[in-house]
Amino acid sequence: MTLPADYFVISSLQEDGKKLRPGDWIERIASSLASFDANRRLRYSASVQPCIVDGEKCLVVARGLEETNPQAYEFIMQFANSNKLCMRLDRRMDERALPCEAMAS
C-alpha cells in the first residue's frame, strides 16, 4: 500500500496568489497519462490524478512516477516550476481527495 506522503499535490495557485489559466490544465496533464478501459471509460493513471483538495482542483502526483516514467515526471515538474505553482507533500491521512471524475456524476 502506498502511503499519502508518497504523493505530492500541485495547486492551481501560483506563488503570487493568482490562479493559472487555462483552468483545465490539470485535466489535460492527467488525461495525457490516462487510458481507456474495456467500457471505453477514461481511467486516470494511479500516478497522476486530478483531485479536489480543500475545495480546490489540484494535480496529485505519485513520487514514484520519477522512476516509472521519468519523462512525464520531468515534464510535470518543469511545468509546475515554470508556472510557479504551489506544491506540497500530500499529508492527508484517512481520506484521499475526491477525483474530479466523481464530481461530474
Side-chain angles (χ1 to χ4, degrees), residues 1-9 45-54 59-63 89-100 102:
M1 183 169 123
T2 306
L3 300 173
D6 289 341
Y7 293 86
F8 59 92
V9 177
S45 164
S47 299
V48 180
Q49 297 185 0
C51 292
I52 304 293
V53 179
D54 296 330
L59 187 66
V60 177
V61 180
R63 297 173 95 191
L89 286 178
D90 185 4
R91 299 213 184 263
R92 295 167 290 147
M93 297 299 272
D94 295 325
E95 62 185 70
R96 299 294 306 156
L98 180 63
C100 291

Side-chain angles (χ1 to χ4, degrees), residues 54-70:
D54 296 330
E56 176 187 347
K57 276 189 185 179
C58 296
L59 187 66
V60 177
V61 180
R63 297 173 95 191
L65 183 65
E66 185 174 18
E67 293 177 17
T68 60
N69 192 337

Side-chain angles (χ1 to χ4, degrees), residues 66-93:
E66 185 174 18
E67 293 177 17
T68 60
N69 192 337
Q71 293 169 328
Y73 181 83
E74 184 65 27
F75 172 79
I76 292 169
M77 295 308 293
Q78 284 182 358
F79 181 86
N81 288 325
S82 67
N83 287 290
K84 298 182 180 171
L85 296 173
C86 298
M87 289 187 281
R88 66 180 187 276
L89 286 178
D90 185 4
R91 299 213 184 263
R92 295 167 290 147
M93 297 299 272

